[in-house]
Amino acid sequence: MLLAGETSVSDYSSFGLNDKVAIVTGPSQGIGRAIAIGLAKGGAHVVLAKHPEGRHDEVRQLQSEIEAMGRKTLLVMTDVSRVADLRALMQETVETFGRIDILVNNAGWTGSTLALDVTEEEYDRTMAATLKSVFFACQEAARVMIPKGGGKIVNIGSNFGVVGFKTRSVYAAAKAGVHHLSRALSLEWARQGVTVNVVAPCITETESRRNILERPGYKEWATNEALPVGRWNQPEDLVGSVLFLCSGLSDMVVGHVLMVDGGWTIP
């Protein structure tokens, strides 16, 4: 049994991802970084779609780690809220590798604001980065995948797309949109070989979430009441689920929302 803060170490080679070409958005830290490393350990070459601002040293370090495994990388500066950037991302990936096998939409943004205080700017930024970006990234990737026989798309959702949470009203709506969007896209594309699924975590211990995790009383509430497993996610907790949905092992899993939330959303 894992203790709080511990994660299991897995051999990802059995997922059958050797020489697959995978795009990961928002890869410089947290969940995105863990997924990019997991895909590389599974044998995939990884395209890192990084926002143009900040964390350049971190993403370069990630590139070095992946290439040290013998995998190829491509770094593309991408503001996922801009459709033109997403189109350029897919085009550069195809020009470099000739195809796109996997897309993991991890990038997003949210504020921590009570509903009465949310501004139009915050609303638009959250929706653009968290929902609009997912739709158009899926659309552009599918335009490449379908003519080449198929592919795997995994969108990172959230347990807040299922349960409510104060200060996360807009983000929760956006993530619920990601869940249902993924179901709808699967209905259109599954027959053409493109499956779209969701991995939905609970709160995960990343740099951007530490301000929440360190609030007085939050740890006691989360680990004693909200989470039956007794701990919150580490980024690595998402990797196995994502790799499963990226692999041929999940060919009959279509439009599914896989909760990786320690039991938070058990009815």
Side-chain angles (χ1 to χ4, degrees):
M1 179 178 177
L2 294 174
L3 300 176
E6 292 185 337
T7 57
S8 60
V9 178
S10 300
D11 177 4
Y12 300 132
S13 62
S14 61
F15 286 102
L17 301 178
N18 285 341
D19 291 324
K20 297 291 186 181
V21 176
I23 298 173
V24 180
T25 68
S28 60
Q29 63 169 324
I31 293 171
R33 189 181 197 282
I35 290 169
I37 290 174
L39 285 163
K41 286 182 177 179
H45 307 299
V46 186
V47 179
L48 305 169
K50 161 77 177 65
H51 193 280
E53 296 179 6
R55 300 193 177 277
H56 296 289
D57 290 343
E58 287 94 328
V59 78
R60 293 293 185 187
Q61 176 62 32
L62 174 60
Q63 268 193 296
S64 297
E65 290 182 35
I66 293 173
E67 290 172 359
M69 301 177 203
R71 315 298 179 226
K72 298 174 184 177
T73 65
L74 174 65
L75 175 60
V76 183
M77 293 299 164
T78 309
D79 180 345
V80 295
S81 67
R82 293 174 48 84
V83 176
D85 281 21
L86 294 170
R87 288 175 179 158
L89 167 66
M90 305 305 167
Q91 181 178 350
E92 192 166 344
T93 300
V94 172
E95 288 174 354
T96 302
F97 293 106
R99 67 186 193 278
I100 300 169
D101 300 305
I102 295 164
L103 169 65
V104 180
N105 280 309
N106 164 73
W109 185 87
T110 179
S112 301
T113 309
L114 291 169
L116 287 177
D117 298 324
V118 172
T119 64
E120 182 178 7
E121 179 183 14
E122 181 177 329
Y123 180 96
D124 288 345
R125 183 180 178 188
T126 301
M127 285 294 180
T130 308
L131 181 56
K132 172 188 172 183
S133 66
V134 171
F135 174 81
F136 284 104
C138 289
Q139 182 190 66
E140 292 300 320
R143 285 174 170 163
V144 175
M145 291 173 172
I146 289 171
K148 293 185 178 294
K152 301 282 188 174
I153 297 176
V154 179
N155 298 323
I156 303 301
S158 172
N159 68 324
F160 291 166
V162 178
V163 299
F165 196 80
K166 290 189 296 185
T167 75
R168 285 291 192 276
S169 56
V170 181
Y171 179 77
K175 286 299 187 180
V178 169
H179 295 185
H180 206 56
L181 171 65
S182 301
R183 299 183 185 106
L185 295 179
S186 282
L187 288 174
E188 295 195 29
W189 299 340
R191 191 175 293 270
Q192 297 159 289
V194 175
T195 59
V196 186
N197 291 289
V198 176
V199 169
C202 64
I203 193 164
T204 303
E205 189 169 349
T206 65
E207 184 176 330
S208 64
R209 298 276 77 88
R210 288 206 180 101
N211 63 320
I212 297 173
L213 301 179
E214 293 172 359
R215 288 177 183 171
Y218 184 89
K219 180 177 182 179
E220 291 73 19
W221 169 79
T223 57
N224 294 329
E225 297 182 38
L227 290 157
V229 76
R231 68 176 180 91
W232 48 62
N233 277 335
Q234 299 299 311
E236 293 74 19
D237 288 313
L238 283 297
V239 175
S241 299
V242 172
L243 265 59
F244 166 66
L245 293 174
C246 290
S247 76
L249 299 170
S250 62
D251 283 349
M252 286 296 285
V253 182
V254 177
H256 182 71
V257 178
L258 176 53
M259 307 304 300
V260 184
D261 68 345
W264 189 317
T265 52
I266 292 174

